[in-house]
Amino acid sequence: GPRVVLRPLAFPLLVYGAAYAIALATGFAYWNPGAGKWTSGSQIAANLVINLAALGVIGTFNAMGEEIGWRGYLQPRLDAAGVRWSLVAVWLVQVAYHAPLIIAADYVTVGGVATGILLFAIADFAITFIMAREAYLARSVWPAIFFHSCHNTISQWLFPKFFTVDANQIWLQGEDGVLPLVGYAVLAAAMYASMRVH
């Protein structure tokens, strides 16, 4: 149903919306659509429609490549085999998969490679839990695929295209940073608490 698409869209919007609101309020981010090149409402609207449509399709196919492996195959296989800490195993594999990209391609290296990997790993643990939970609730890998796609689009394109952020800080840098990390950690903790209550 709608929750398969709407919840995976809402979670990253909530996390990054809150992170950028804090960044605006504290002065290390400011409104600057298209790095100052989008000066009219029609330019902003056209860029939103064209880019989000393209990124929605491309991002979903890219996310499928990972999520069919992580949540579609590895997580269920580990659980079926009775691996107690299967979520941690999947998370460690994901971090190992992304580490060469972080090192070689200067990907999310906020504060240097070691700090970038650390921030990515901590945030990815919360994200791994959220995606696994949503996939198991829906009994489908699609919520994880849509979450992954929406997270990438929102964190790497949507907010960075509309805001300019001070490069010399660790709080918010594209996909990574302390503020999104805290947002996802709070969201995952709330989900875990609700599971324990029910």
Side-chain angles (χ1 to χ4, degrees):
R3 68 173 289 161
V4 171
V5 177
L6 296 181
R7 286 167 63 96
L9 173 62
F11 295 148
L13 273 176
L14 176 68
V15 166
Y16 283 91
Y20 275 83
I22 292 168
L24 277 170
T26 53
F28 64 84
Y30 61 92
W31 178 254
N32 193 26
K37 296 174 184 173
W38 304 346
T39 56
S40 69
S42 59
Q43 282 181 309
I44 291 172
N47 274 285
L48 273 174
V49 169
I50 292 167
N51 284 293
L52 290 180
L55 290 169
V57 173
I58 294 166
T60 300
F61 276 104
N62 287 341
M64 285 175 71
E66 286 190 53
E67 292 309 318
I68 288 172
W70 309 142
R71 254 61 58 184
Y73 180 80
L74 183 58
Q75 184 79 56
R77 289 286 185 163
L78 291 173
D79 290 338
V83 176
R84 183 171 171 81
W85 297 99
S86 62
L87 188 77
V88 173
V90 173
W91 166 64
L92 290 173
V93 170
Q94 289 176 180
V95 172
Y97 172 84
H98 286 91
L101 184 61
I102 294 170
I103 294 165
D106 195 33
Y107 173 69
V108 298
T109 52
V110 181
V113 173
T115 304
I117 291 174
L118 179 64
L119 287 173
F120 178 87
I122 295 169
D124 196 55
F125 184 72
I127 290 170
T128 298
F129 172 78
I130 293 166
M131 287 196 287
R133 178 182 181 271
E134 293 299 300
Y136 272 109
L137 282 174
R139 296 181 182 176
S140 168
V141 73
W142 282 108
I145 291 170
F146 289 134
F147 179 95
H148 197 142
S149 177
C150 291
H151 164 80
N152 287 348
T153 298
I154 289 165
S155 66
Q156 297 171 14
W157 186 84
L158 183 63
F159 282 96
K161 278 294 183 184
F162 281 87
F163 298 91
T164 296
V165 180
D166 178 10
N168 300 314
Q169 47 76 33
I170 200 169
W171 299 98
L172 186 62
Q173 257 322 4
E175 183 177 1
D176 252 340
V178 174
L179 291 175
L181 180 157
V182 170
Y184 277 125
V186 168
L187 181 61
M191 289 179 170
Y192 181 74
S194 73
M195 288 170 56
R196 301 293 292 177
V197 169
H198 297 100

